Amino acid sequence: MKKMALFTLTQSSRSISIIYLLLSASYASAFLGTTSTQSSGRSLLPLGSTSATSSNAISSVSSDKAIEGGSDSKCWASHALLISSLSDGIIPNEAARSFLRYSLVNTLLREHIAKKEDNLKSSVEFSPCNGPNIDALTNLESVDQVYERGQQFSADDFDANVQSVDSWAMDALEHLISDTNCNSNVRVLYIPTAMYALNPKSSNTPGKQRQRARADGKKRRTQLLKLLGELLPSSDEMQFNLLATTLDLDDGSLKQPVGSEDSTLFPENDKAALSTWNPHLVYIEGGNTFWLKHCIDKGDYASIIKEAVCEGPIPAVYCGKSAGAIVAGSKIATATWKGWDDPSVVPEKETYEDWLDCTGFEFSGSRSFFPHMSNDWKELVEEKIKSQNLGEGVCCLREEDAYCVIGEKKVSFMASGPSPIN
């Protein structure tokens, strides 16, 4: 958690830090010295990458030896799910659904805590003689306790103890919605750029291709919002509103806002959508990986996406499907293996060889990702791994898999649902 000027989120030093705020700014620093930022010592079960040649998880959660260090912690996503398919990898996958809800709740709690801290700090600075509002301080500590409870879960809990994780998440949501000062809007940024790549071999005109791609993207976004609505249920006592907008990284356009008629609740432009709008979820759709990477680079989006997902004060949950999973990895060379994606859509990088050294976001350290894995690709994957240097290895994602990342702890695990019926 972040450390503020005279303020720390560390539970053990909360009360002392609040008392320190009673001091005037002119001599508080001399009195304080340094503020403890030591963590509580809790950690999730450390897990590692899945071997490229394995059949992935048989049970719903699987792991290997953790890979500690070696990668800049800032590259790791705060919370991420990397998938081949939303309909097979998350919707019927109980462990993945639970992790997605858990991740969103963590982000909502962090935002709520940050706002309460800011308000409490402002009140103390405005009236230092009266001190902090005791009710507000008690409420803040209560939210902290809810958050800390959520940090105690290990990866195994998303398998054997998933009901406890879900129970905590629902308790946390009830706690949030019961607070009249809670912002009940959940902000979703949907990025379908990869599926907007034109197919030069298509008999349809470019205009017709774009029209169909946008219609398909709208349907896929609706499917995502339906899932999120199920994970954040509504009732008379509990009501969360989904605010969603679609961003095309090709031209920076924002389209199809839903969730409110109030335009001020949506970002003004593409860069704001990834920064000041503070999305709770950034979802990057599948499609042509090369076109997606080209548009990310062309628009200088890499650093701002990393900041939104890894380094911002309230990091967004990242969900990358297929191409979105590949660009989340260390290298995108895996997109060249099957020959599914056409690199000729990108000027001056029209061959697979042009893409072998291109890097991704590194949201899980030095791991790279190979989506749509099946036994048919086993020999190909083994051969490619031997011939290409891919750092800590390749994680293969079958249709039913969701690779889950908790970057603050450098923790990752594979959650596998039922195999899809062909």
Side-chain angles (χ1 to χ4, degrees), residues 198-257:
L198 297 177
N199 181 0
K201 299 178 182 179
S202 174
S203 59
N204 292 318
T205 64
K208 190 68 173 179
Q209 290 185 57
R210 292 189 187 95
Q211 183 181 10
R212 289 187 175 181
R214 291 192 178 105
D216 191 18
K218 188 175 182 179
K219 290 180 181 178
R220 296 187 189 186
R221 191 186 74 169
T222 298
Q223 183 185 39
L224 171 66
L225 295 180
K226 181 176 182 294
L227 169 64
L228 296 177
E230 294 171 356
L231 298 180
L232 304 171
S234 299
S235 66
D236 292 338
E237 296 79 22
M238 188 185 305
Q239 182 72 46
F240 284 91
N241 179 53
L242 295 173
L243 293 177
T245 190
T246 294
L247 169 61
D248 183 4
L249 301 181
D250 178 24
D251 57 9
S253 61
L254 290 167
K255 294 182 174 68
Q256 303 169 348

Side-chain angles (χ1 to χ4, degrees), residues 369-386:
F369 296 92
F370 181 78
H372 307 293
M373 177 62 177
S374 70
N375 293 337
D376 294 338
W377 303 111
K378 184 176 179 181
E379 291 184 4
L380 171 70
V381 170
E382 291 175 343
E383 183 246 321
K384 292 295 185 180
I385 286 179
K386 290 178 181 178

